[in-house]
Amino acid sequence: MSRLVSDLGKDLVGLEPLSANQIRTVLDTAEPFKEISERPIKKVPVLRGKTIVNLFFEPSTRTRVSFEFAEKRLSADTVNVTAAGSSVVKGETLVDTARNMEAMRIDMVVMRHIASGAARFLAERIPSNVINAGDGWHEHPTQGLLDLLTIRDHKGRIEGTRVCIVGDILHSRVARSNIYGLLKLGAEVGVCGPPTLLPVGIQELGVQVFRRVEEAIEWADVLNVLRLQLERMQSGFVPSLREYNRFYGVSSARLERAREDLLILHPGPINRGVEMDSDVADGPRSVILNQVTNGVAVRMAVLYLLAGGTPETAESAKHAAES
Amino acid sequence: MAQTRTPLMDERAVRRALSRMAREIVERAAGTGRLVLMGIHRRGDEIAALLGEEIRKAEGTPPPIGSLDITLYRDDLAVIGPRPVVGESRLPAGGIDGQVVVIVDDVLYTGRTIRAALDELMDWGRPTRIYLCVLVDRGSAARELPIQPDSVGRTVELSHGKRVDVLVPELDGQLAVEIVGIEPPVEDT
């Protein structure tokens, strides 16, 4: 029996450090995991005896629930820690929180944190596997992976596909993980949003910038529409939500110029009537709920692959524990 | 290291064995009414397909065939390091509840694969009866678990250093069984 080495390493911090092959390994591994969620007994014993802590310093429903389902369907034991009501509010540092968890003998940490770089910071300091569930404006790798999987499911391939990310690119970790993952797998990537919400010099990543959403819609095979966070209006990045909707909202009228098979993704939660109209979100081109289903499979794949480890990283983990 | 390959069964021998096994299975299951074949991924799948074809020839109707990938049920995942590739498991149309399930594999050795397959089947439903059917049995002395086959193509006792390769048309371009011996390198004197 052939045994391919899964070389994800110890942690999943982002898609930027991964190679195209590593990303493909995760997507290919996710395929058989889809079927497990369709069984009457949705459980396989592969992570039996492993303890996973879901450390969520920022509110999240979908990602946390998705990770929890993935963990439980692989038979891991899970504990959820949220910032509110934890020792964090008493002033404990991130590393101290994690070290205390480790003292109780855990195997993996899934972390959502408000600070960019928090996942790498933690990964370098504890021997447990660390999975980034979103760190500040940096990356949200499992969201990027589930978007890639959903595009591959519907388009048959990622290479050569034109994907435009629409909305608040500046503050979006989803956008960054998507850009890295898509470019590595050979997609053409566009971004579209108000100039205040586009990072300066984003072209240098190798993406095309669209000023008008109409042009983006005509160009794209796939639209990944991001949520406009309401705080952005209060901080003056957009004048009003209504105006944002008038200029950048994805509506049925605008989609008349789109390709017949345009695919529409959204990482959720949707602000209906702001970045996307209801009839688009619920329309035939939308694969938003497929993304959610794929999210569980992708996270199962990541947990499965990381739990295997590689000889090198097992060695370096030991070093980290000793130092 | 040099490999020696010794033929154990040629295509005609394999086909004769399969046709006998098909009759044995149908007899044990008292017909094909509730009979379901579950091949173990990868070569067990191929053997199950051939066996299903034999049953169709003899009985007129092919049994539903499913596929089991036992990777996630292995008992050695914690010790083998990097993760093996996971294949897809496929339930036959109509499921396995209340069915007579025949697990089909190419080679029975330690019995650990079959233990994993039994656990996976139990997670999928409740068959009324499970049989085990293998093309090659390496003998009960090699077993590490109390698992025995119900229908066997050929039994062969071999030392641990030897391997049995079942070649199937789909993957290897031919149907045959070979014994592979790995010889220690010859010292230059």
Side-chain angles (χ1 to χ4, degrees):
Chain A
M1 199 171 149
S2 72
R3 190 186 291 167
L4 285 183
V5 174
S6 81
D7 49 358
L8 279 196
K10 180 173 90 70
D11 313 289
L12 179 66
V13 167
L15 298 190
E16 189 185 9
L18 295 189
S19 69
N21 269 334
Q22 287 175 313
I23 294 174
R24 272 187 218 107
T25 302
V26 179
L27 300 184
D28 292 345
T29 305
E31 289 295 335
F33 283 109
K34 289 178 183 171
E35 173 266 316
I36 292 165
S37 297
E38 307 298 326
R39 295 184 189 183
I41 297 179
K42 301 171 182 50
K43 214 174 184 66
V44 292
V46 70
L47 291 188
R48 209 179 51 187
K50 297 268 184 202
T51 308
I52 304 179
V53 177
N54 298 315
L55 208 50
F56 277 71
F57 293 104
E58 250 191 2
S60 157
T61 307
R62 196 179 332 263
T63 305
R64 189 175 52 76
V65 168
S66 180
F67 264 111
E68 214 174 329
F69 275 138
E71 292 155 1
K72 293 201 155 121
R73 286 177 192 175
L74 298 179
S75 305
D77 297 311
T78 65
V79 179
N80 292 322
V81 179
T82 49
S86 76
S87 48
V88 176
V89 292
K90 299 178 187 164
E92 190 174 51
T93 67
L94 173 57
V95 169
D96 280 338
T97 304
R99 287 206 178 128
N100 275 279
M101 296 289 163
E102 293 231 299
M104 292 183 250
R105 301 290 174 262
I106 59 163
D107 300 290
M108 289 186 171
V109 177
V110 175
M111 186 173 70
R112 158 77 52 100
H113 201 282
I114 195 157
S116 306
R120 175 177 303 271
F121 177 83
L122 190 66
E124 285 167 356
R125 280 162 184 81
I126 62 172
S128 299
N129 307 104
V130 174
I131 300 175
N132 183 2
D135 61 334
W137 304 353
H138 174 227
E139 280 219 50
H140 189 355
T142 55
Q143 178 72 42
L145 289 165
L146 74 89
D147 289 343
L148 290 172
L149 185 65
T150 309
I151 295 169
R152 197 175 75 168
D153 280 355
H154 287 86
K155 295 287 176 196
R157 66 196 164 84
I158 289 170
E159 202 181 344
T161 309
R162 293 172 159 187
V163 183
C164 190
I165 307 165
V166 182
D168 179 359
I169 312 294
L170 180 64
H171 301 96
S172 176
R173 51 195 172 213
V174 176
R176 248 165 289 272
S177 286
N178 260 274
I179 291 170
Y180 292 130
L182 287 164
L183 289 176
K184 279 172 202 271
L185 294 193
E188 288 183 54
V189 182
V191 294
C192 175
T196 49
L197 292 175
L198 290 178
V200 175
I202 181 116
Q203 297 91 332
E204 284 164 30
L205 286 177
V207 304
Q208 207 170 326
V209 176
F210 293 94
R211 293 283 172 217
R212 289 165 48 84
V213 75
E214 289 82 1
E215 290 167 23
I217 287 172
E218 268 183 59
W219 174 83
D221 299 313
V222 178
L223 281 189
N224 197 346
V225 185
L226 303 177
R227 185 169 76 96
L228 187 79
Q229 292 176 323
L230 306 178
E231 310 88 90
R232 302 296 170 238
M233 189 182 69
Q234 282 136 25
S235 6
F237 287 100
V238 290
S240 78
L241 296 182
R242 255 177 68 194
E243 188 175 305
Y244 181 84
N245 179 258
R246 265 191 57 194
F247 285 98
Y248 294 98
V250 179
S251 63
S252 314
R254 288 203 164 112
L255 288 180
E256 276 170 20
R257 308 283 300 273
R259 299 171 48 109
E260 193 82 15
D261 59 352
L262 177 78
L263 209 61
I264 295 180
L265 283 75
H266 190 298
I270 311 175
N271 289 327
R272 288 173 183 263
V274 181
E275 69 267 10
M276 187 186 283
D277 288 355
S278 264
D279 54 344
V280 174
D282 305 326
R285 288 166 157 145
S286 157
V287 289
I288 296 170
L289 292 175
N290 303 57
Q291 287 174 272
V292 178
T293 307
N294 277 345
V296 177
V298 153
R299 291 176 176 118
M300 287 168 95
V302 168
L303 292 164
Y304 170 75
L305 291 170
L306 286 184
T310 60
E312 301 83 50
T313 55
E315 216 29 60
S316 59
K318 232 183 282 161
H319 272 290
E322 282 158 8
S323 63
Chain B
M1 278 194 289
Q3 276 194 347
T4 57
R5 304 186 78 94
T6 326
L8 179 69
M9 298 168 88
D10 61 10
E11 171 157 3
R12 291 178 61 190
V14 173
R15 291 207 182 271
R16 274 199 298 273
L18 287 172
S19 113
R20 170 178 54 78
M21 289 155 75
R23 287 198 306 278
E24 284 176 5
I25 290 165
V26 173
E27 195 179 341
R28 278 181 184 261
T32 55
R34 290 184 301 145
L35 185 65
V36 165
L37 304 186
M38 292 296 294
I40 295 180
H41 195 71
R42 183 57 245 198
R43 283 179 164 70
D45 276 348
E46 304 298 330
I47 302 297
L50 295 170
L51 211 49
E53 178 57 21
E54 290 294 331
I55 292 173
R56 189 197 60 78
K57 274 194 235 160
E59 299 290 318
T61 46
I65 300 180
S67 169
L68 285 172
D69 182 282
I70 54 99
T71 311
L72 299 173
Y73 288 80
R74 288 170 64 144
D75 56 11
D76 56 355
L77 278 175
V79 294
I80 56 176
R83 294 308 209 187
V85 171
V86 188
E88 206 137 351
S89 290
R90 203 178 64 248
L91 213 55
I96 57 167
D97 281 327
Q99 304 295 100
V100 176
V101 173
V102 179
I103 297 175
V104 182
D105 206 359
D106 55 346
V107 181
L108 174 61
Y109 189 19
T110 62
R112 288 181 190 271
T113 300
I114 305 304
R115 193 282 308 163
L118 287 169
D119 280 356
E120 182 163 15
L121 276 178
M122 295 307 174
D123 278 355
W124 269 4
R126 186 180 187 280
T128 47
R129 175 82 216 227
I130 300 179
Y131 290 108
L132 173 59
C133 172
V134 295
L135 185 58
V136 180
D137 175 12
R138 293 193 53 168
S140 53
R143 220 79 79 225
E144 294 170 4
L145 297 171
I147 282 169
Q148 302 307 333
D150 299 291
S151 177
V152 174
R154 176 79 68 93
T155 303
V156 56
E157 307 259 354
L158 295 168
S159 63
H160 275 296
K162 298 262 172 62
R163 195 179 75 213
V164 176
D165 276 7
V166 172
L167 308 177
V168 293
E170 195 73 21
L171 304 173
D172 315 292
Q174 58 167 321
L175 186 59
V177 181
E178 291 176 349
I179 296 169
V180 183
I182 297 154
E183 294 188 346
V186 183
E187 297 269 332
D188 242 347
T189 47

